[in-house]
Amino acid sequence: MARVVVEVMPKAEILDPQGQAIAGALPRLGFNGITDVRQGKRFELEVDGSVDDAQLEQIAEALLANTVIENWTVRRVSTEA
């Protein structure tokens, strides 16, 4: 078994109202020096050896990301402690 992480973020040219709300709240909570926040999504998939990188890319494009407004990355991570 392997763990795969798919990270999905709004494209740079897309307005991110959730990120803007977080950026606006940080100074009010006493956290200064943060100039921008972008909020995205993270998916963790446990896969067996039969799932190749091409299939993972298809999953990201077809189901996990809206490719019109979001970019995505897929990476395999170690499951060992």
Side-chain angles (χ1 to χ4, degrees):
M1 290 295 223
R3 177 168 293 149
V4 174
V5 174
V6 180
E7 294 177 344
V8 180
M9 293 295 294
K11 292 182 177 181
E13 63 272 14
I14 299 299
L15 180 65
D16 181 5
Q18 292 173 315
Q20 288 178 337
I22 294 166
L26 288 169
R28 291 191 304 272
L29 295 171
F31 300 104
N32 297 306
I34 309 299
T35 59
D36 190 33
V37 176
R38 303 287 286 171
Q39 182 174 336
K41 300 177 279 190
R42 174 187 166 109
F43 301 92
E44 292 186 5
L45 292 77
E46 295 288 333
V47 300
D48 64 27
S50 69
V51 180
D52 64 16
D53 290 346
Q55 288 176 302
L56 294 169
E57 290 178 5
Q58 288 177 330
I59 291 167
E61 282 193 12
L63 180 63
L64 303 179
N66 177 348
T67 58
V68 173
I69 62 169
E70 296 172 319
N71 292 320
W72 54 267
T73 60
V74 175
R75 62 186 167 88
R76 292 178 184 262
V77 297
S78 174
T79 56
E80 297 176 17

